[in-house]
Amino acid sequence: MANLEEEISRRRTFAIISHPDAGKTTLTEKLLLFGGAIHIAGAVKSNKIKKTATSDWMEIEKQRGISVATSVMGFNYGDYKINILDTPGHQDFAEDTYRTLTAVDSVIIVVDVAKGVEQQTRKLMEVCRMRNTPVIIFVNKLDREGRDPFDILDELEAELKIAVRPLSWPINIGAKFKGVYNIFEHSLDLFTPDKQKATERVEIDDINSPLIDEAVGEADAAKLREDLELIEGVYPEFNVDDYLAGRTAPVFFGSALNTFGVKELLDCFVQIAPAPRPVQAEERMVNPDDPAFSGFVFKIHANMDPNHRSCIAFVKVCSGKFERNAPYKQIRTGKTLRFASPTAFMAQKKSIVDEAFPGDIVGIPDTGNFKIGDTITAGEEIHFRGLPSFSPEMFMYIENTDPMKSKQLEKGIQQLMDEGVAQLFIHQFNGRKIIGTVGQLQFEVIQYRLLHEYGAQCRWEPMSMYKACWIESDDPDALANFKKRKHQFMATDREGRDVFMADSRFVLQMAQNDFPKIRFHFTSEF
Ligand code: G4P
């Protein structure tokens, strides 16, 4: 099994996350350039979901369609096999991003030096924290005017609730930006604002080396020494174990657009980022080097062409070797399935693969057999824990407007929910179906897809709702009493769990005060 172990240890599977516009796409592209996976700048850009198209979701879906190819970007870098999992930039698809984070072993967060920590970053970090995902932060756009790097570090620590440790340090910023000192490797990288040229590197054996003064001038060299002294005084020495445990985030500075600081980030990343880690199944911890194959579906990508209602199910390999045409068991249904044309994603190309290893993502063409969260194994009955559903932010009643097509509507809703497009709740009081989403866009997407893929028509009826929370209690009587008293606010989710639908913050607070024995959860996993 040495082969399996080697394959595992050289894999790095991660996602880049950021608030829109911080530079995720640009950074991804530059990483692909280093890996030789693409040869020209701009190749990834065209797949980006443009924020200008917010009202034009068809355009967004089209771009999402194209983006199947960039959903996973695999490439070799030195001895390493790197898999970057793309996450949609548009915040209405945040749920997609949460799920993608279940399939990665680490994360790189991009922050704009002028804007600091923004809302989307904060939210995504919460998901990382829940899973103790190791995080590296790249502070981007140093070629522009921005905030003082020490202020940025303070903000990262306070807003993202994680200890930080700079591993590179900028010399000035904006028009005066001269480069970064690489604390991790003790070298000085000088900035030349040129997108195609590699940076000039000066190896430094001692921070007092006159080479620094020669390179950046005496005043900036003195400031750099002062800053570094402060850093050494304030921040504990970098400890890889703290990073791997999700307690400390190393921070790099640079400019993705100018390919500056990106290679430093990548070189450090491959060294310290974790290889595929053990994954918790309900029954046991599954180690990547367990010889038998296991994996789970974390994303289902629908084809927008109504004539071919086909999907691609994205499977993360958790253990063993995945083989084409081998008999695998879908645990939820007990069915044995063989995958004749699984695809892998290398260098932006999709091609059929014969085998894949832990950390890899395999795309499986599907016609509606899979659900988000499905476990597939070589036979063992294990269940990987899915990502919790988060309390949606928008809610609408869904109503059938074509009574002749109620079956189609039913089926369409079921399948779209299996795909993870939105969450379905059934109101216990009036039996009506409620769809909860994280953004307005999903309602349009659902309505369109129901019509074009299932021939069903629906309309939305607004409802005032603040939050849906999953409730539980150790005291069955207290739970029964709560459900009785609040029966007009009770619903069930797709798994039949009790959900309290609070129509205002006030109602929720009152309920929390009045019913101390009830626990209210804002994610479905507790
Ligand atoms: P995103 O995926 O996180 O949404 O961000 P993206 O990479 O698309 O970057 C957002 C904008 O920021 C882009 O400009 C991009 O060129 C710019 N950018 C990225 N990195 C840097 C950097 O290091 N320095 C500077 N100055 N700008 C950077 P845009 O005008 O929106 O797009 P484009 O027309 O340039 O493609």
Side-chain angles (χ1 to χ4, degrees):
M1 274 296 155
N3 182 22
L4 177 62
E5 272 161 33
E6 266 167 41
E7 292 294 347
I8 294 168
S9 66
R10 73 186 195 93
R11 273 172 173 69
R12 299 286 180 274
T13 301
F14 72 107
I16 305 179
I17 54 179
S18 74
H19 192 85
D21 255 4
K24 178 173 74 81
T25 314
T26 314
L27 180 64
T28 307
E29 181 174 289
K30 295 304 162 82
L31 293 175
L32 293 176
L33 275 169
F34 280 120
I38 54 169
H39 300 287
I40 42 155
V44 179
K45 206 84 191 169
S46 56
N47 291 329
K48 193 181 163 193
I49 295 172
K50 289 267 163 14
K51 57 246 161 218
T52 45
T54 38
S55 56
D56 185 0
W57 73 266
M58 263 308 284
E59 193 48 40
I60 290 178
E61 273 299 313
K62 237 191 271 160
Q63 293 185 32
R64 259 160 67 85
I66 300 167
S67 74
V68 169
T70 59
S71 284
V72 182
M73 291 161 278
F75 63 92
N76 288 307
Y77 181 68
D79 291 337
Y80 297 97
K81 161 83 192 288
I82 295 182
N83 294 312
I84 306 181
L85 272 54
D86 195 23
T87 55
H90 199 289
Q91 64 172 16
D92 283 10
F93 296 106
E95 197 82 27
D96 268 13
T97 304
Y98 301 153
R99 281 194 290 263
T100 298
L101 293 181
T102 60
V104 300
D105 298 297
S106 71
V107 153
I108 293 179
I109 296 181
V110 186
V111 170
D112 182 326
V113 69
K115 294 186 180 147
V117 175
E118 295 170 89
Q119 184 216 354
Q120 187 85 345
T121 320
R122 218 173 283 129
K123 254 177 130 167
L124 293 169
M125 182 66 206
E126 272 170 36
V127 181
C128 295
R129 212 175 309 108
M130 280 170 66
R131 311 176 63 85
N132 298 323
T133 309
V135 161
I136 295 181
I137 300 172
F138 183 72
V139 180
N140 190 27
K141 307 197 185 180
L142 267 285
D143 59 315
R144 288 226 202 124
E145 296 309 322
R147 311 241 301 270
D148 178 80
F150 280 110
D151 287 351
I152 287 281
L153 291 179
D154 287 348
E155 181 172 313
L156 290 171
E157 213 154 45
E159 296 277 338
L160 301 181
K161 301 191 181 75
I162 187 165
V164 294
R165 177 47 161 111
L167 288 187
S168 78
W169 195 252
I171 300 162
N172 288 330
I173 176 169
K176 293 205 211 104
F177 180 53
K178 289 195 180 154
V180 295
Y181 180 75
N182 188 333
I183 302 174
F184 189 63
E185 296 201 326
H186 302 287
S187 63
L188 187 65
D189 296 303
L190 299 175
F191 175 64
T192 35
D194 182 336
K195 286 166 207 165
Q196 307 300 337
K197 227 163 93 185
T199 54
E200 192 186 327
R201 171 172 275 218
V202 184
E203 299 298 334
I204 309 282
D205 47 13
D206 180 349
I207 182 64
N208 292 314
S209 163
L211 288 175
I212 303 184
D213 302 71
E214 267 171 45
V216 301
E218 272 175 31
D220 286 333
K223 171 85 168 62
L224 174 66
R225 291 187 184 107
E226 207 177 284
D227 284 354
L228 290 175
E229 202 174 312
L230 192 58
I231 290 169
E232 300 309 326
V234 172
Y235 297 98
E237 205 159 315
F238 174 62
N239 175 335
V240 180
D241 291 334
D242 283 341
Y243 157 68
L244 291 174
R247 286 190 295 267
T248 299
V251 181
F252 285 83
F253 293 84
S255 164
L257 188 63
N258 293 289
T259 326
F260 190 80
V262 177
K263 189 163 187 303
E264 290 71 13
L265 171 75
L266 182 59
D267 287 337
C268 174
F269 169 80
V270 291
Q271 283 183 54
I272 67 171
R277 313 173 107 189
V279 184
Q280 182 71 52
E282 259 159 48
E283 295 78 1
R284 65 180 180 92
M285 197 62 133
V286 177
N287 283 308
D289 57 0
D290 287 355
F293 162 75
S294 69
F296 66 88
V297 176
F298 67 95
K299 173 173 171 148
I300 294 177
H301 203 301
N303 186 343
M304 283 300 285
D305 180 349
N307 298 319
H308 305 92
R309 203 189 305 131
S310 62
C311 308
I312 296 184
F314 289 79
V315 176
K316 158 94 186 255
V317 180
C318 297
S319 71
K321 187 160 100 173
F322 170 91
E323 285 171 287
R324 184 158 82 96
N325 279 326
Y328 290 135
K329 187 166 174 184
Q330 182 184 29
I331 300 299
R332 180 174 50 85
T333 58
K335 276 192 215 159
T336 298
L337 305 167
R338 285 169 199 272
F339 307 118
S341 44
T343 52
F345 307 83
M346 275 299 277
Q348 288 213 303
K349 275 198 214 81
K350 220 171 76 180
S351 52
I352 292 188
V353 282
D354 291 321
E355 56 182 35
F357 295 93
D360 286 340
I361 310 298
V362 186
I364 294 177
D366 174 44
T367 47
N369 289 314
F370 286 112
K371 260 190 188 187
I372 294 268
D374 270 358
T375 300
I376 306 164
T377 72
E380 189 183 349
E381 281 280 325
I382 48 171
H383 301 78
F384 287 111
R385 292 196 183 146
L387 183 80
S389 305
F390 289 80
S391 177
E393 283 156 33
M394 295 183 178
F395 302 86
M396 299 250 204
Y397 285 118
I398 183 165
E399 294 298 338
N400 186 6
T401 51
D402 183 352
M404 303 296 288
K405 296 282 170 68
S406 56
K407 266 213 179 114
Q408 284 85 337
L409 183 73
E410 203 53 40
K411 182 166 178 220
I413 294 177
Q414 287 303 335
Q415 289 199 347
L416 294 184
M417 299 304 128
D418 285 349
E419 248 180 61
V421 176
Q423 292 179 55
L424 173 71
F425 303 96
I426 309 283
H427 206 297
Q428 285 175 6
F429 184 54
N430 55 24
R432 292 173 78 184
K433 288 192 178 69
I434 300 166
I435 303 285
T437 70
V438 291
Q440 183 60 35
L441 220 50
Q442 265 100 329
F443 293 113
E444 290 170 47
V445 172
I446 292 168
Q447 194 166 26
Y448 180 93
R449 290 190 55 190
L450 284 173
L451 181 64
H452 288 84
E453 294 171 34
Y454 300 90
Q457 293 190 38
C458 72
R459 72 182 164 79
W460 300 108
E461 193 176 307
M463 61 186 296
S464 80
M465 170 91 77
Y466 168 64
K467 272 244 146 69
C469 30
W470 287 265
I471 57 160
E472 59 159 2
S473 174
D474 298 328
D475 179 345
D477 291 340
L479 192 63
N481 179 41
F482 180 85
K483 282 162 69 173
K484 198 165 130 217
R485 292 268 301 280
K486 298 282 179 194
H487 72 285
Q488 75 273 36
F489 298 111
M490 291 306 301
T492 42
D493 73 1
R494 290 193 72 208
E495 269 87 61
R497 287 174 296 198
D498 290 321
V499 178
F500 174 57
M501 311 293 257
D503 56 3
S504 71
R505 182 193 289 264
F506 177 72
V507 164
L508 179 59
Q509 274 171 359
M510 288 292 285
Q512 283 169 321
N513 287 339
D514 295 347
F515 297 89
K517 286 189 176 162
I518 305 288
R519 289 189 293 277
F520 297 79
H521 301 281
F522 298 98
T523 67
S524 66
E525 205 173 75
F526 37 81

